[in-house]
């Protein structure tokens, strides 16, 4: 049986007391449809997990509940009343508190002031409290979280995990009845996570409704009562967390069920090996990796977050040295000392998080495109030839099918898909041999996706190789000539000519031993 065919609709629903309800909520950012008629119901006294891959729209939905964004369409109800959450204050008055994914603390203010000062409001929301009372409450909350920091310490002096906990403390101190946490554990250690999960247990008993956004499947088992999956801006499935809900079913929820056209280019004649990796170990998570990438081949490595693919990527692009094993490129030992060195050796990198690591938001389209290749344009005097640069940029942008008015405008005037094409253009400049890509099409519209796939296949046919780390299995199956499944730092299996029929086997590979457990409870 195809495990993806599992049907949750028959599962009995617990008696819900719905406190927060979104119906057919849509939201567009430029050309990006972040939410597409998303609907969800959150009940009191429980933890509702919202699962979804990067770019699925989870944070956008959370921010609509928090009054940060207004929906283009759809309804929100709080305790049965239709509401418009126009700003953060309205959300607070409705009893909604949110722990943002990007922290919203005022770095120069103290822990105490951050917890009691509305970030956006000048007036103190707790003005009726004495300073002493504030401090007492604050200490209680910090104690609950097992967080030992001086109340007067400026938040900027704290390590990131503690900032995250202060962010959580801020919401707890407000006595919210509906608490939204957007990927709250991303920076926390195991011990800090345990403290947070304990607090979540206490809140549940007090009848608080918790919407908990994550892409970690394990957290469903640990704290979830109900789980919804979000794919491409829609809530595609919701069901109670029961023993019958296996990790395999969760993976199928997470990757989505919608049927997509499958048009991988036809198999090609085998290519000669370009990159070979043998018995590779790294500190950050490769335990024993062996794989090859042929010349003019698109190779995918597929596994869950934490399987070691991030670490493999770091080693290849020069962010981390491997501790043992061998890498050869073009028959020569390959050991990049830093990313620029890796680039010089022919290894180009297109990172996943284009906002954090990719684009320079204040710079123009042209500058973003040419960032890595300024040497190409230097003249004898060492000056850049602006006209040569502009001429080349125009040609590249045309080839990349980027839709733009003027290349001198900030890159942020482009849609996500067009921004990604510019970064792709940057990655292919300087004639790389291999391009490492993480989630190459996350958050970009379908048209731009198709363009990028086409560009990749074109470059492949010109002999450039790709190593793709995508969290989207359907995408991996669609664009890769060969796929390796990865689990716990090791390659599990090679798929020499992958097809959609390999989906179930790959899913079982990447879950390792997990598959043999009948249930997650
Ligand atoms: N403020 C914004 N401006 C433009 N695009 C945005 C903005 N916020 C989110 N997006 C886009 O909307 C989509 C959904 O993003 P998000 O809600 O952050 O997803 P998730 O939290 O599930 O990773 C992505 O394509 C993202 O790039
Ligand atoms: Mg998010």
């Amino acid at each position: 049986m195809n495990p993806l065919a599992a049907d949750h609709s028959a599962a009995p629903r617990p008696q819900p007391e719905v406190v927060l309800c979104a119906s057919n909520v849509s939201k567009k950012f430029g050309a990006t449809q972040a939410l597409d008629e998303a609907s969800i119901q959150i009940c009191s006294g429980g933890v509702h997990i919202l699962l979804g891959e990067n770019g699925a729209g989870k944070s956008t939905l959370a921010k609509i509940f928090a009054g940060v964004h207004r929906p283009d369409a759809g309804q929100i109800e709080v305790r049965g009343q239709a509401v418009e959450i126009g700003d953060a204050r309205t959300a607070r008055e409705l009893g909604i508190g949110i722990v943002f994914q990007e922290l919203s603390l005022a770095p120069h203010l103290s822990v105490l002031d951050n917890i009691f000062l509305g970030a956006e409001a000048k007036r103190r929301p707790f003005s009726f409290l004495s300073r002493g009372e504030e401090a007492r409450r604050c200490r209680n909350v910090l104690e609950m979280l097992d967080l030992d920091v001086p109340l007067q310490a400026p938040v900027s002096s704290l390590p990131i995990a503690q900032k995250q906990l202060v962010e959580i403390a801020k919401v707890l101190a407000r006595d919210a009845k509906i608490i939204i946490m957007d990927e709250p554990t991303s920076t926390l250690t195991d011990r800090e996570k345990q403290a947070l999960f304990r607090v979540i247990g206490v809140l549940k008993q007090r009848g608080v409704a918790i919407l908990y956004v994550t892409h970690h499947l394990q957290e469903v088992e640990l704290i979830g009562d109900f789980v919804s999956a979000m794919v491409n801006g829609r809530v595609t499935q919701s069901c109670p967390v029961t023993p019958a809900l296996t990790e395999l079913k969760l993976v199928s929820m997470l990757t989505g069920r919608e049927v997509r056209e499958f048009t991988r280019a036809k198999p090609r004649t085998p290519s000669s090996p370009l990159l070979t990796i043998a018995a590779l170990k790294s500190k950050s998570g490769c335990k024993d990796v062996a794989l090859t990438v042929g010349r003019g081949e698109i190779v995918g490595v597929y596994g869950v977050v934490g399987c070691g693919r991030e670490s493999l990527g770091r080693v290849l692009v020069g962010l981390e040295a491997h501790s043992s094993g061998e890498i050869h490129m073009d028959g020569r030992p390959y050991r990049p000392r830093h990313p620029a060195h890796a680039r010089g050796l022919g290894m180009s990198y297109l990172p996943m998080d284009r906002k954090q690591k990719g684009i320079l938001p204040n710079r123009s389209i042209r500058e973003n495109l040419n960032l890595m290749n300024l040497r190409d344009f230097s003249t004898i005097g060492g000056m850049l030839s602006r006209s040569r640069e502009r001429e080349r940029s125009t040609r590249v942008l045309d080839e990349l099918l980027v839709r733009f008015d003027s290349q001198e405008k900030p890159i942020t005037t482009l849609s996500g898909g067009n921004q990604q094409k510019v970064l792709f253009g940057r990655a292919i400049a300087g004639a790389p041999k291999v391009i490492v890509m993480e989630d190459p099409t996350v958050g970009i519209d379908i048209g731009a996706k198709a363009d990028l796939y086409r560009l990749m296949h074109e470059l492949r046919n010109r002999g450039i190789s790709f190593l793709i780390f995508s969290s989207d299995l359907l995408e991996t199956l669609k664009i890769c000539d060969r796929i390796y499944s990865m689990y716990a730092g090791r390659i599990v299996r090679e798929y020499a000519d992958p097809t959609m029929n390999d989906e179930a086997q790959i899913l079982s590979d990447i879950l390792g031993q997990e598959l043999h457990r009948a249930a997650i409870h």
Side-chain angles (χ1 to χ4, degrees):
M1 190 189 95
N2 177 357
L4 295 182
D7 176 13
H8 306 292
S9 58
R13 291 181 59 142
Q15 204 52 283
E17 198 215 320
V18 177
V19 290
L20 180 62
C21 173
S23 315
N24 302 316
V25 170
S26 294
K27 177 76 187 172
K28 246 182 161 178
F29 296 107
T32 306
Q33 188 82 50
L35 291 178
D36 182 12
E37 305 200 331
S39 301
I40 194 167
Q41 300 196 334
I42 318 295
C43 298
S44 54
V47 177
H48 192 129
I49 307 255
L50 183 58
L51 271 184
E53 294 192 341
N54 264 316
K58 308 179 296 294
S59 294
T60 304
L61 184 61
K63 285 177 184 168
I64 283 177
F65 288 141
V68 176
H69 295 317
R70 279 167 173 262
D72 302 333
Q75 292 82 45
I76 311 271
E77 286 177 16
V78 175
R79 286 174 283 272
Q81 299 288 313
V83 292
E84 280 195 20
I85 311 177
D87 52 30
R89 193 167 147 200
T90 310
R92 212 161 42 228
E93 284 165 2
L94 290 166
I96 300 173
I98 180 166
V99 178
F100 289 100
Q101 186 173 8
E102 316 87 14
L103 303 184
S104 67
L105 302 172
H108 55 285
L109 294 184
S110 70
V111 170
L112 181 65
D113 283 342
N114 265 285
I115 290 178
F116 282 97
L117 196 70
E120 79 300 330
K122 288 284 174 286
R123 70 189 191 97
R124 299 182 83 80
F126 297 90
S127 49
F128 55 89
L129 293 181
S130 70
R131 212 49 193 158
E133 175 65 6
E134 276 186 2
R136 198 185 58 76
R137 273 209 196 193
C138 189
R139 264 188 224 102
N140 282 346
V141 172
L142 295 181
E143 205 169 292
M144 245 178 115
L145 286 166
D146 204 7
L147 177 59
D148 187 17
V149 291
L151 297 188
Q152 298 307 335
V155 156
S156 57
S157 68
L158 304 180
I160 177 83
Q162 295 195 346
K163 283 184 189 145
Q164 179 97 54
L165 290 168
V166 171
E167 182 91 19
I168 293 166
K170 188 169 144 183
V171 171
L172 297 183
R174 286 174 205 285
D175 248 351
K177 295 289 178 282
I178 301 168
I179 296 183
I180 301 167
M181 299 188 180
D182 194 352
E183 311 220 6
T185 54
S186 50
T187 63
L188 302 185
T189 64
D190 280 342
R191 180 164 161 258
E192 291 156 343
K193 279 183 207 170
Q194 290 314 318
L196 175 63
F197 293 161
R198 262 200 319 277
V199 172
I200 287 176
V202 172
L203 293 172
K204 249 170 74 165
Q205 282 182 347
R206 293 185 188 166
V208 173
I210 297 161
L211 177 62
Y212 186 99
V213 176
T214 185
H215 59 261
H216 295 297
L217 300 181
Q218 314 85 294
E219 295 184 340
V220 175
E221 173 189 17
L222 284 170
I223 55 169
D225 298 302
F226 217 82
V227 57
S228 292
M230 200 157 196
V231 180
N232 294 339
R234 301 183 78 98
V235 178
T236 48
Q237 291 188 57
S238 289
C239 63
V241 178
T242 65
L245 186 62
T246 59
E247 285 204 14
L248 192 56
K249 285 182 187 167
L250 288 172
V251 171
S252 78
M253 286 174 75
L254 192 64
T255 51
R257 285 296 308 130
E258 92 281 39
V259 184
R260 288 193 224 168
E261 198 193 349
F262 180 61
T263 51
R264 189 164 60 87
K266 49 183 167 321
R268 298 156 45 260
T269 46
S271 59
S272 57
L274 173 66
L275 182 71
T276 57
I277 300 176
L280 184 82
K281 277 202 179 79
S282 69
K283 282 212 185 68
S284 67
C286 292
K287 300 229 168 73
D288 182 9
V289 175
L291 58 83
T292 61
V293 178
R295 223 172 288 275
E297 191 181 35
I298 302 180
V299 173
V301 174
Y302 188 79
V304 295
V305 172
C307 72
R309 60 176 192 191
E310 304 85 349
S311 176
L312 175 59
R314 288 173 56 80
V315 169
L316 289 177
V317 305
L319 287 167
E320 183 183 339
H322 52 285
S323 37
S324 68
E326 288 186 0
I327 312 178
H328 283 85
M329 173 121 97
D330 251 346
R332 268 182 241 120
Y334 174 84
R335 189 176 260 280
R337 291 186 299 272
H338 46 75
H341 186 211
R343 225 169 18 250
L345 296 170
M347 183 75 66
S348 188
Y349 175 44
L350 193 60
M352 168 170 69
D353 191 349
R354 65 175 174 270
K355 287 210 187 72
Q356 296 278 334
K357 299 183 210 144
I359 65 167
L360 298 179
N362 302 322
R363 299 303 191 87
S364 68
I365 299 170
R366 176 179 50 78
E367 288 169 308
N368 268 283
L369 178 65
N370 295 323
L371 192 64
M372 302 296 180
N373 323 302
L374 294 181
R375 257 172 317 158
D376 293 353
F377 303 107
S378 50
T379 57
I380 292 165
M383 299 280 292
L384 281 178
S385 155
R386 181 61 64 83
S387 64
R388 269 181 67 196
E389 188 196 343
R390 196 172 288 136
E391 200 181 299
R392 176 185 171 279
S393 306
T394 309
R395 186 166 44 77
V396 173
L397 292 169
D398 280 352
E399 271 178 29
L400 293 170
L401 309 167
V402 176
R403 287 163 193 91
F404 65 103
D405 311 333
S406 154
Q407 51 174 292
E408 301 308 323
K409 284 203 174 163
I411 187 162
T412 44
T413 59
L414 297 179
S415 71
N418 282 310
Q419 289 182 16
Q420 187 71 342
K421 287 180 193 169
V422 171
L423 293 189
F424 188 73
R426 185 200 289 172
I428 62 181
K433 295 172 183 163
V434 184
I435 304 177
V436 176
M437 288 179 149
E438 279 178 302
D439 281 321
T441 64
V442 157
I444 73 178
D445 58 276
I446 294 166
K449 262 187 202 180
D451 287 348
L452 274 171
Y453 294 158
R454 218 171 310 130
L455 287 163
M456 287 168 64
H457 281 89
E458 233 175 82
L459 290 168
R460 175 196 74 173
N461 295 343
R462 288 192 226 157
I464 293 183
S465 309
F466 289 86
L467 190 59
I468 311 282
F469 303 104
S470 170
S471 344
D472 180 341
L473 180 53
L474 294 185
E475 173 173 272
T476 306
L477 284 165
K478 187 167 174 173
I479 62 179
C480 294
D481 299 318
R482 218 147 44 79
I483 295 174
Y484 292 96
S485 54
M486 190 165 183
Y487 175 75
R490 294 183 165 82
I491 299 295
V492 182
R493 213 182 301 272
E494 178 189 344
Y495 295 82
D497 184 16
T499 70
M500 293 307 271
N501 296 333
D502 294 317
E503 195 178 18
Q505 180 65 54
I506 293 176
L507 287 176
S508 90
D509 290 351
I510 65 159
L511 295 175
Q513 303 305 315
E514 301 299 317
L515 190 63
H516 302 304
R517 288 196 294 159
I520 61 172
H521 270 291

